[in-house]
C-alpha cells in the first residue's frame, strides 16, 4: 500500500508564456503567413500552430484588381497580433520607411526589422540593421531584429533598445536547422532580452533544439508553409516547441562518452 | 466658386494615374474602394495619418504609395 504522496515536478508544465514588448503570449511559436496555397490554408495552419504572433509583409495594394481577398480577414483580431516585417529591404532607410507605413496601416508598434545584405543568402546587413534599429527605437517602435547568429551583433542590438534579438538558425527558407548551436547558446547566455530563433528551421526537431538551447521562441514560415501538409506540420512545430521548452526547464543529463547502466549492477542472479 | 474639375496625373504605386474632381487623399481612397483601416498612404515619401486624408490635396506629379499587409515571413 502506498503512503507517500505522489512525486511532483518543480517545473511549471504550463510554462509557455513568452514575454514580449510588455505583453505575455501563451505561445512561443511565431509564424509567417507567406507561401500558403490560399488564405484558408494559412488560417488552418495558424490555428494548428497555436501561434499568436504572426508576421506579415508590407506591399503595394493591387490598384487594378480590388476583388482580391485580404489576409487580415483571415486573422482573428482577438487572438492574433500582427508583426509586420521589412522583408525585401536592402537599406536601413527603406526598412524605416516600411515600418512607418506598417504602423499607419494598423500594425502596432512591434516590427520585425530585416535589412538584407545579399540576395542569394538573404543574410542580414548587420551594420544597416543596427543603424535602422537605432532610428526605429527612437521613434517608439518595439524592434525585433532578424540578425546573423553573431553574439556581438545581438549584444549591440539589445543595448540600443531592441525588445528581442532574432538570430537566424540557417538561411531563410533553407530548412538546414541550427547550423551553429554554440553561437545560439552564447547569445542566450548573454541575452538581456528574449532570444527568438528566426529562419532556417526545417522540421519539429529543429524547433525543439532551439528551445532546448534556452531560446525564448522560434519564428518560422517556410518550414510550415512548404511542408507537404502544412497544417500537420504546424501542429508538429507547436509540439516541438513545447517539448523543447519543457526539456530545457527540466534540465537535460550531461553528455558522456561511456555507458552508464540504467539497471542496478548489484543483486544479479548467480 | 467653381470646383476645379481639370484632370491631373499623379503617380500611384509606380504607375501614372488620372484624378479628376476632388483630388484629396480621402477621395482617392474612396474611389479605389479601400478600407482606410487596412491601408497606409504615403505622399512624396511622407506618411499621411488617416485623420488628414480629407485635408491632404494631391497635386500633379505627386508620388503616392498605398500599401497593405500581405502574407510574409
Amino acid at each position: 500500500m502506498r503512503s507517500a504522496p505522489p512525486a511532483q515536478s518543480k517545473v511549471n508544465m504550463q510554462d509557455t508564456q513568452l514575454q514580449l514588448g510588455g505583453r505575455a503570449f501563451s505561445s512561443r511559436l511565431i509564424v509567417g503567413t507567406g507561401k500558403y496555397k490560399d488564405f484558408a490554408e494559412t488560417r488552418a495552419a495558424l490555428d494548428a500552430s497555436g501561434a499568436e504572433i504572426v508576421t506579415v509583409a508590407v506591399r503595394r495594394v493591387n490598384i487594378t484588381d480590388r476583388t482580391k481577398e485580404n489576409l487580415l480577414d483571415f486573422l482573428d483580431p482577438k487572438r492574433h497580433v500582427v508583426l509586420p516585417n521589412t522583408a525585401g529591404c536592402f537599406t536601413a532607410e527603406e526598412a524605416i520607411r516600411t515600418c512607418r507605413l506598417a504602423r499607419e496601416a494598423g500594425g502596432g508598434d512591434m516590427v520585425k526589422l530585416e535589412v538584407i545584405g545579399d540576395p542569394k543568402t538573404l543574410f542580414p546587413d548587420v551594420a544597416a540593421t543596427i543603424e535602422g534599429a537605432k532610428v526605429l527605437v527612437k521613434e517608439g517602435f518595439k524592434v525585433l531584429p532578424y540578425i546573423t547568429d553573431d553574439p556581438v551583433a545581438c549584444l549591440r542590438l539589445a543595448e540600443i533598445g531592441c525588445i528581442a534579438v532574432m538570430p537566424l538558425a540557417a538561411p531563410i527558407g533553407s530548412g538546414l536547422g541550427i547550423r551553429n548551436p554554440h553561437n545560439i547558446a552564447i547569445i542566450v547566455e548573454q541575452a538581456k532580452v528574449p532570444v527568438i530563433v528566426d529562419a532556417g528551421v526545417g522540421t519539429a526537431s529543429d524547433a525543439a533544439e532551439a528551445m532546448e538551447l534556452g531560446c525564448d521562441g522560434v519564428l518560422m514560415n517556410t518550414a510550415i508553409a512548404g511542408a507537404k501538409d502544412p497544417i500537420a506540420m504546424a501542429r508538429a512545430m507547436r509540439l516541438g516547441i513545447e517539448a523543447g521548452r519543457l526539456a530545457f526547464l527540466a534540465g537535460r543529463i550531461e553528455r558522456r562518452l561511456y555507458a552508464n547502466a540504467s539497471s542496478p549492477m548489484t543483486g544479479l542472479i548467480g | 466658386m467653381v470646383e476645379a474639375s481639370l484632370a491631373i496625373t499623379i503617380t500611384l504605386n509606380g504607375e501614372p494615374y488620372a484624378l479628376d474632381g476632388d483630388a484629396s487623399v480621402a477621395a482617392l481612397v474612396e474611389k479605389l474602394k479601400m478600407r482606410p483601416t487596412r491601408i497606409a498612404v504615403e505622399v512624396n515619401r511622407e506618411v499621411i495619418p488617416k485623420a488628414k486624408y480629407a485635408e491632404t490635396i494631391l497635386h500633379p506629379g505627386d508620388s503616392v504609395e498605398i500599401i497593405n499587409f500581405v502574407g510574409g515571413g
Side-chain angles (χ1 to χ4, degrees):
Chain A
M1 200 179 106
R2 283 187 67 151
S3 57
Q8 282 191 339
S9 165
K10 293 181 194 72
V11 170
N12 174 9
M13 300 286 181
Q14 306 307 318
D15 173 35
T16 53
Q17 286 221 322
L18 170 63
Q19 305 287 334
L20 210 54
R23 294 181 60 168
F25 296 94
S26 64
S27 170
R28 292 179 176 274
L29 176 56
I30 302 175
V31 297
T33 52
K35 298 185 180 174
Y36 286 97
K37 187 180 69 185
D38 51 36
F39 289 141
E41 187 186 66
T42 310
R43 178 56 193 264
L46 285 185
D47 288 343
S49 76
E52 291 160 297
I53 305 174
V54 299
T55 62
V56 296
V58 174
R59 292 292 180 269
R60 284 171 165 170
V61 297
N62 189 329
I63 302 292
T64 47
D65 181 9
R66 300 299 310 139
T67 60
K68 279 199 166 177
E69 288 173 317
N70 189 299
L71 168 67
L72 295 190
D73 292 329
F74 289 79
L75 301 182
D76 177 356
K78 286 193 212 80
R79 175 175 175 81
H80 297 126
V81 173
V82 166
L83 177 62
N85 70 27
T86 63
C89 292
F90 281 78
T91 65
E93 193 191 355
E94 286 167 10
I96 293 162
R97 188 181 170 199
T98 301
C99 290
R100 288 172 182 157
L101 281 166
R103 180 152 65 181
E104 185 57 29
D109 290 334
M110 284 207 303
V111 287
K112 171 180 162 177
L113 175 62
E114 187 176 343
V115 186
I116 301 300
D118 164 50
K120 195 168 178 183
T121 59
L122 297 180
F123 281 143
D125 182 326
V126 175
T129 303
I130 293 173
E131 184 193 333
K134 276 183 188 163
V135 175
L136 291 167
V137 168
K138 275 203 192 96
E139 293 188 11
F141 285 97
K142 292 172 177 166
V143 182
L144 295 95
Y146 156 73
I147 197 70
T148 327
D149 53 357
D150 171 351
V152 177
C154 287
L155 274 183
R156 294 289 170 269
L157 286 162
E159 279 166 14
I160 62 175
C162 293
I163 64 159
V165 289
M166 304 208 294
L168 56 82
I172 294 172
S174 70
L176 288 173
I178 300 177
R179 293 297 78 211
N180 197 339
H182 308 294
N183 272 24
I184 299 292
I186 293 170
I187 291 165
V188 167
E189 194 180 286
Q190 294 180 337
K192 294 187 174 66
V193 295
V195 177
I196 296 163
V197 158
D198 178 8
V201 302
T203 188
S205 55
D206 297 335
E209 185 186 2
M211 299 311 294
E212 287 167 6
L213 287 167
C215 292
D216 297 276
V218 181
L219 193 165
M220 64 182 76
N221 190 152
T222 307
I224 295 176
K228 286 197 179 67
D229 188 325
I231 299 161
M233 185 58 89
R235 177 155 169 77
M237 289 299 187
R238 173 190 198 154
L239 297 172
I241 297 271
E242 287 179 15
R245 174 67 182 171
L246 212 47
F248 170 72
L249 294 174
R252 59 154 300 151
I253 60 164
E254 292 298 317
R255 289 179 173 85
R256 53 168 74 218
L257 193 55
Y258 293 104
N260 183 14
S262 300
S263 307
M265 295 305 284
T266 55
L268 288 165
I269 53 171
Chain B
M1 203 177 108
V2 180
E3 279 284 313
S5 60
L6 284 177
I8 64 162
T9 302
I10 60 165
T11 301
L12 177 58
N13 286 358
E15 302 287 337
Y17 189 86
L19 281 178
D20 46 25
D22 187 349
S24 70
V25 168
L28 174 63
V29 167
E30 202 186 310
K31 187 179 167 189
L32 293 168
K33 296 186 170 56
M34 286 170 186
R35 285 162 68 180
T37 53
R38 292 283 169 85
I39 58 164
V41 179
E42 198 186 55
V43 178
N44 301 329
R45 291 187 159 247
E46 196 182 321
V47 176
I48 309 298
K50 294 187 204 310
K52 295 200 169 173
Y53 284 1
E55 65 189 68
T56 305
I57 304 300
L58 298 169
H59 303 283
D62 276 352
S63 179
V64 179
E65 294 281 345
I66 306 182
I67 63 87
N68 63 359
F69 293 135
V70 301

